Amino acid sequence: MLSRTNLTLTALVTVIATPSLAVAQQRGPEVADFTLANGLELIVIPDHRAPVVTHMIWYKVGAADETPGKSGLAHFLEHLMFKGTAKNPTGKFSQVVARIGGQENAFTSQDYTGYYQRVPSDQLKTVMEFEADRMTGLQLTDDVVLPERNVILEEQNQRIGNNPRARLGEQIDAALYLNNPYGKPVIGWRHEMEELSRDDAIGFYRRFYAPNNAVVVIAGDVDPAKARALVEEAYGKVPRHNNLPPRIRAQEPPPVAARSLTLADARAEIPTLQREYLVPSFATSKRGESMALEVLAHILGSGSNSRLYRGLVVDKQVAVAANAWYDASTLDLSKFAIGGSPRPGVTLTQLEAETDAIVVEVIAKGVTAEELERAKTRLIADAVYALDNQASMARWYGTAMTTGASVNDVKNWPDRIRAVTAEQVQDAARQWLDKRRSVTGYLVKDVSPQAEKRS
């Protein structure tokens, strides 16, 4: 159930960008925002195109909030939340969702844990009552906890242990974050996961799961006033937690040295170059910085018109793939990544040198007016197209509300993207794409006799 989607403020948009759709912009969803007496926040995004509704509850706790030495605990508890309460035994919630034709799942990130259901709109009250019940009523025994620990260990094996690219990313993150807990994987370090216990899970649950540490997001065929009444009825009875721990995390020291690593894996069929820079997130940036990084990432490495793709794949033909991305939606400092895979006969060292040359050119000469406008138009258009997905709308707001942004930040995002200048993009590249702020990783095939035996 682990999900590490790179949802950024690129997606956090509720209005339309193009003049031809100005009327639609004015008629966009009137997002409602309420806070209950017990501290629970409610966001309602009306969408009456179909008689369905997406109900999400986001807890402001993730892997970065775990006790040191207990990595994987947030994700472990996510699994255990499906194990039942005194009122609703194991499996009942899922059976009801299936019976009414709904869908459900859950996800964990560094900063939040979320649970969602997509059901017919007349069943909204039903899923709310189940979620409110398991917010504080979860019952766990060793008979339930220990088999589920085996499940998450197998998930770690599938997602990370048997995935060379994922292993490389895990190692780069660990080297990038010297002090902040983002350096440990969301799913956990395996040796610590093996020791997680019922007491660990219960303690974490009682410390963080409470209405005043949660945001309910509802998108779909529902009236905001009706949704608020249902939420008051279902969640309003759950008492607030008066001893929530403050969200204080160790922060990164100023980076002073470029770092590099090589991961050799017998299953790595295609060599890979990946570099991550330590950069501000939306929550930690000065005004406009995060948007400039969004545009920079698009210009550098999004699609066949990007600088990296044109320069490395088309013009010099030293790569078969090239990309860049930026994650704005974290509470602490985030990542800006570039990478690619070389053509046969081209070494990773050569590919890195050619990649550096493109980055240096952007730093020295900036970006063109055409690149800037194309990037801004495409960023906003992609977000607008995504509005057709009800679950996406709920995810955008949930991500924003749990990573330091607000409803107004979501609404104002298109205007902030439009305001980005070429000078800001160049400044962002100059300031943040400094190799001293980075970790460069190589993934290569391990051809040693020991690797052959292991495989």
Side-chain angles (χ1 to χ4, degrees):
M1 295 180 188
L2 173 71
S3 174
R4 296 193 68 179
T5 50
N6 291 316
L7 288 173
T8 73
L9 286 175
T10 299
L12 301 179
V13 56
T14 60
V15 293
I16 307 301
T18 55
S20 61
L21 294 176
V23 175
Q25 176 177 341
Q26 296 170 4
R27 297 175 183 172
E30 288 295 327
V31 179
D33 183 3
F34 309 103
T35 301
L36 274 58
N38 62 3
L40 182 94
E41 187 164 8
L42 168 65
I43 308 294
V44 184
I45 311 158
D47 176 13
H48 301 293
R49 291 174 294 177
V52 294
V53 65
T54 296
H55 170 266
M56 287 185 166
I57 182 163
W58 300 67
Y59 291 95
K60 297 178 183 180
V61 59
D65 302 296
E66 294 162 345
T67 303
K70 302 291 183 180
S71 64
L73 187 52
H75 174 238
F76 187 30
L77 181 58
E78 176 214 308
H79 277 244
L80 294 173
M81 283 288 283
F82 290 83
K83 296 305 178 182
T85 66
K87 182 179 179 181
N88 297 299
T90 301
K92 183 178 178 180
F93 191 176
S94 297
Q95 290 166 6
V96 170
V97 171
R99 188 168 64 245
I100 62 179
Q103 301 169 328
E104 64 167 348
N105 214 324
F107 46 87
T108 306
S109 82
Q110 293 286 8
D111 296 311
Y112 51 76
T113 309
Y115 307 84
Y116 71 90
Q117 304 83 35
R118 189 168 188 263
V119 297
S121 50
D122 61 358
Q123 296 295 324
L124 178 59
K125 179 179 179 181
T126 300
V127 295
M128 279 187 187
E129 289 174 343
F130 276 108
E131 283 289 11
D133 177 45
R134 70 177 177 180
M135 178 179 281
T136 56
L138 187 63
Q139 293 191 331
L140 299 177
T141 64
D142 282 344
D143 290 341
V144 167
V145 171
L146 299 184
E148 199 62 34
R149 187 175 65 189
N150 292 333
V151 172
I152 63 167
L153 286 167
E154 179 56 28
E155 185 177 350
Q156 190 276 341
N157 190 49
Q158 292 178 356
R159 288 178 174 268
I160 309 294
N162 289 320
N163 185 331
R165 291 287 296 271
R167 292 182 66 210
L168 177 67
E170 188 178 79
Q171 293 300 309
I172 292 173
D173 285 349
L176 184 68
Y177 291 99
L178 301 175
N179 200 38
N180 186 276
Y182 287 169
K184 58 185 174 64
V186 171
I187 202 166
W189 296 118
R190 190 174 183 89
H191 69 286
E192 293 183 348
M193 295 168 65
E194 291 171 345
E195 301 299 323
L196 294 177
S197 68
R198 172 189 174 276
D199 288 344
D200 293 330
I202 288 291
F204 192 79
Y205 174 65
R206 290 175 177 169
R207 190 157 66 248
F208 291 109
Y209 277 58
N212 50 318
N213 202 37
V215 180
V216 170
V217 183
I218 302 169
D221 186 28
V222 65
D223 174 76
K226 180 180 179 181
R228 181 176 185 177
L230 291 173
V231 169
E232 289 275 11
E233 183 180 353
Y235 291 101
K237 297 172 289 188
V238 183
R240 66 183 292 118
H241 192 327
N242 293 321
N243 294 303
L244 277 174
R247 246 180 156 181
I248 301 173
R249 300 165 176 170
Q251 298 300 304
E252 286 299 295
V256 296
R259 286 142 284 168
S260 62
L261 59 90
T262 299
L263 175 66
D265 191 306
R267 296 156 297 187
E269 296 298 331
I270 302 175
T272 299
L273 164 70
Q274 182 173 325
R275 179 184 295 158
E276 293 182 0
Y277 297 89
L278 189 69
V279 300
S281 63
F282 178 81
T284 60
S285 66
K286 297 177 182 177
R287 186 176 181 86
E289 276 185 336
S290 177
M291 280 65 188
L293 285 166
E294 295 267 18
V295 174
L296 175 61
H298 194 280
I299 291 172
L300 266 180
S302 179
S304 59
N305 284 323
S306 68
R307 286 285 187 100
L308 289 173
Y309 190 92
R310 288 202 324 268
L312 302 176
V313 179
V314 178
D315 296 340
K316 295 198 173 181
Q317 298 186 6
V318 295
V320 295
N323 58 74
W325 56 265
Y326 163 61
D327 182 3
S329 298
T330 62
L331 276 176
D332 299 323
L333 290 176
S334 190
K335 300 178 289 188
F336 188 109
I338 58 177
S341 295
R343 284 184 179 271
V346 178
T347 68
L348 285 169
T349 303
Q350 291 172 316
L351 178 59
E352 182 182 359
E354 296 290 356
T355 301
D356 282 339
I358 292 172
V359 173
V360 168
E361 183 180 26
V362 171
I363 292 172
K365 299 180 180 179
V367 300
T368 67
E370 181 184 358
E371 286 177 317
L372 180 68
E373 290 309 310
R374 184 170 60 231
K376 293 195 289 187
T377 299
R378 184 58 185 267
L379 283 169
I380 298 174
D382 285 348
V384 169
Y385 298 148
L387 289 174
D388 281 338
N389 188 310
Q390 190 181 93
S392 292
M393 287 193 287
R395 275 184 175 267
W396 300 338
Y397 278 91
T399 301
M401 306 307 291
T402 52
T403 57
S406 68
V407 169
N408 282 334
D409 291 326
V410 176
K411 292 180 177 180
N412 295 332
W413 182 87
D415 289 336
R416 292 181 179 180
I417 285 291
R418 291 189 197 99
V420 172
T421 66
E423 290 75 17
Q424 286 177 309
V425 175
Q426 185 178 10
D427 287 344
R430 183 183 299 116
Q431 182 171 3
W432 303 114
L433 301 192
D434 181 336
K435 289 186 74 172
R436 292 171 296 182
R437 304 188 64 85
S438 74
V439 175
T440 303
Y442 287 1
L443 175 64
V444 300
K445 188 173 182 65
D446 188 350
V447 295
S448 65
Q450 293 82 0
E452 291 179 4
K453 291 178 181 178
R454 288 194 297 270
S455 61

